Amino acid sequence: MEGLANNLGSEKISKLLIKQAVPATIGILVMSLNMIVDTIFVGQWIGVLAIAAITVVLPIAFLISSIGMGIGIGGSSIISRALGEEKSEKAFLTFGNQISLTLLLSIIFVIVGIFFSVPILNLFGAKGDILPIAATYFNVIIYGVPFLAFAMMGNPVIRAEGKPKFAMVAMIIPAIVNVVLDIIFIKYFNWGMWGAALATTISYASCGMFIFYFFLSKRSELKIIPKNFLLNVIIVKEIIALGGVTIVRQGAISVLMIVLNYSLFVYGGEIAISIYGIINRVMMFALSPVLGVSQGFLPVAGFNIGAQKNDRVKETIKTAIAFGTILGTIIFVGILVFKEEIIRIFTTDATLIQETPNALLIVFLVTPIVTMQLIGSAYFQAAGKAFPALLLTLLKQGIFLIPLAYFLPKYFGINGVWWSFPISDLLSTIITIIIMKREVAKNLKTTT
């Protein structure tokens, strides 16, 4: 793995970040486009309630699959630092333990989801006419979640190997599969929500199988070795400590969705849930470049932290924040100028077209500065510091956004839901800046 070491340990930081972030961004963009197209198709071909149903169901699927994401990010942090310290055996053992943990835990949670589907859907906001449509969708895609969990575990590991292009391809494949099958199943076969769910499930499976193929191929430096499947207590503890940050974050997002769907339904009805469904899809797609920068940051920072090259770590932090801030500003201007045109892509419903643009603009108000939140959390994950990573991760969704989304609508109606987003972004960014300045001054003194 010397080629990887030479690149991450010596190549120009800005060039490394671009090499890592661009494929990650493209992958996230395509994956987000996948969900956007899904929403467009069901909105245009099935109806407004179908958008609401997907808005309710997908957070449940991603909560379960986030187990794989957390194990993947936690393990990739260990792998990056192990490679920086030239401890390849530890990297191989970590990878094997990641596979075992992902498959075991995701299958357990899928079984729970199958047996308790209706109570879970009710909890996440499947009320009134939304419930039967959401149940149809959920009862199909639940079987694809283990594949999605494995894919979300494997993707950050591939990036930790220094193979961001393959990680990108792994995210592009399911997007293409889903779009093609959506057209066939919904438009031509007229299978409705069942067809939309089947297309999504097959797309999850295609992603998982591609990543499985990659690790079996000669292109992967981390091999699937059966003896490494045996769980190592020390490795598992470290994976869970670091990966737990991602799992808890997704858990906080799921709690947030419960609160949001409650507030949206109480203060705006089913139409408000559909409005947020559109905003959420736009958010996922529009913020993809910023998320790509944070994902590209992880392996570069992790390797150089392991190699104790503090000057390069500080440069990585500054460069990533600069890139993300520029991208965030461009995104906000785009939303400001084209907000109405964006909404018309999703629906022809007059009420949605009238009410969604203003809500979209409010939600995106603080976008230019959100990169600091992401890089702050990513830095502590890369450094193997679980507690501050968890704290910064929970700032927006857990500590600020959940209570704001619950209480503000009591005083400001449905607009209180929309304003809870920029307020929580602003507060969490301020706290992240304070914590990161202290960390850099204390633990990242320039090396000679």
Side-chain angles (χ1 to χ4, degrees):
M1 299 191 182
E2 289 185 10
L4 178 60
N6 289 337
N7 288 335
L8 295 179
S10 61
E11 196 169 340
K12 188 177 179 182
I13 293 296
S14 58
K15 185 176 180 181
L16 276 174
L17 275 174
I18 291 171
K19 285 170 64 176
Q20 290 282 342
V22 169
T25 299
I26 293 172
I28 297 170
L29 277 170
V30 175
M31 199 77 169
S32 302
L33 185 61
N34 174 18
M35 295 181 184
I36 287 174
V37 171
D38 218 25
T39 305
I40 292 170
F41 286 167
V42 300
Q44 298 281 0
W45 296 335
I46 302 177
V48 173
L49 286 178
I51 297 176
I54 289 180
T55 303
V56 168
V57 172
L58 284 184
I60 305 172
F62 278 104
L63 173 61
I64 301 173
S65 62
S66 69
I67 295 167
M69 184 192 300
I71 293 169
I73 291 176
S76 66
S77 173
I78 300 170
I79 290 169
S80 291
R81 283 179 283 117
L83 295 177
E85 295 166 357
E86 300 182 356
K87 296 178 180 178
S88 58
E89 286 300 317
K90 183 178 181 180
F92 292 141
L93 178 60
T94 300
F95 177 55
N97 276 223
Q98 285 178 288
I99 295 174
S100 299
L101 281 174
T102 300
L103 295 180
L104 177 64
L105 294 177
S106 64
I107 290 172
I108 289 173
F109 279 93
V110 166
I111 292 171
V112 172
I114 291 171
F115 282 100
F116 298 97
S117 60
V118 173
I120 292 172
L121 287 168
N122 281 327
L123 179 64
F124 275 79
K127 310 290 185 183
D129 294 335
I130 298 174
L131 179 58
I133 303 174
T136 299
Y137 194 77
F138 179 81
N139 290 332
V140 176
I141 71 164
I142 191 70
Y143 294 101
V145 169
F147 292 100
L148 179 61
F150 181 80
M152 295 176 87
M153 180 280 293
N155 206 275
V157 174
I158 294 174
R159 288 196 301 272
E161 282 196 51
K163 306 283 177 54
K165 291 182 180 179
F166 286 97
M168 175 188 71
V169 172
M171 299 179 78
I172 291 175
I173 288 175
I176 295 173
V177 170
N178 194 34
V179 168
V180 172
L181 292 182
D182 264 345
I183 295 171
I184 296 172
F185 292 164
I186 302 175
K187 185 174 177 62
Y188 292 104
F189 289 4
N190 199 29
W191 286 350
M193 284 300 285
W194 188 85
L198 182 61
T200 300
T201 301
I202 294 173
S203 73
Y204 290 166
S206 69
C207 185
M209 294 304 293
F210 173 81
I211 286 181
F212 182 70
Y213 159 77
F214 172 81
F215 288 126
L216 288 177
S217 73
K218 294 180 179 179
R219 293 184 174 92
S220 175
E221 296 174 69
L222 293 170
K223 303 299 180 183
I224 297 178
I225 303 172
K227 70 175 185 178
N228 289 332
F229 292 164
L230 186 63
L231 296 179
N232 179 286
V233 176
I234 296 174
I235 294 293
V236 169
K237 283 183 177 179
E238 193 171 358
I239 290 174
I240 293 175
L242 296 172
V245 173
T246 299
I247 296 171
V248 170
R249 177 175 58 203
Q250 189 61 43
I253 292 172
S254 297
V255 173
L256 171 64
M257 288 307 303
I258 294 171
V259 173
L260 274 176
N261 286 336
Y262 166 81
S263 294
L264 290 167
F265 190 78
V266 169
Y267 297 99
E270 292 160 342
I271 194 74
I273 296 179
S274 295
I275 289 172
Y276 180 70
I278 293 174
I279 291 174
N280 190 40
R281 297 301 177 273
V282 176
M283 197 183 306
M284 292 170 64
F285 182 79
L287 293 180
S288 296
V290 179
L291 293 171
V293 171
S294 68
Q295 290 197 2
F297 168 86
L298 268 168
V300 180
F303 185 95
N304 286 287
I305 289 169
Q308 297 183 346
K309 297 184 177 182
N310 290 348
D311 50 345
R312 287 179 61 81
V313 176
K314 287 199 291 187
E315 186 182 351
T316 303
I317 294 171
K318 291 178 181 178
T319 306
I321 290 173
F323 284 175
T325 300
I326 292 169
L327 291 169
T329 302
I330 294 171
I331 290 163
F332 175 71
V333 172
I335 296 293
L336 179 64
V337 175
F338 299 108
K339 56 184 184 295
E340 293 184 7
E341 289 80 1
I342 291 170
I343 303 308
R344 290 181 183 275
I345 295 173
F346 290 90
T347 183
T348 56
D349 184 86
T351 304
L352 285 179
I353 292 172
Q354 180 181 351
E355 296 185 11
T356 308
N358 184 59
L360 179 68
L361 182 60
I362 293 171
V363 169
F364 273 85
L365 275 178
V366 190
T367 303
I369 64 171
V370 297
T371 301
M372 174 59 76
Q373 300 173 37
L374 299 171
I375 296 302
S377 176
Y379 163 77
F380 286 109
Q381 281 185 295
K385 298 181 179 181
F387 179 75
L390 178 61
L391 174 63
L392 294 184
T393 294
L394 288 179
L395 275 178
K396 178 183 175 180
Q397 283 92 354
I399 297 173
F400 293 125
L401 190 49
I402 289 174
L404 286 170
Y406 180 78
F407 287 108
L408 286 184
K410 293 180 180 292
Y411 303 99
F412 304 102
I414 192 65
N415 279 332
V417 176
W418 312 134
W419 277 103
S420 64
F421 284 87
I423 293 172
S424 60
D425 273 329
L426 181 61
L427 293 174
S428 55
T429 298
I430 291 171
I431 293 175
T432 301
I433 290 171
I434 294 170
I435 293 174
M436 283 299 292
K437 281 188 174 180
R438 290 178 179 175
E439 170 68 17
V440 170
K442 181 179 178 181
N443 295 317
L444 289 180
K445 295 176 182 178
T446 304
T447 55
T448 56

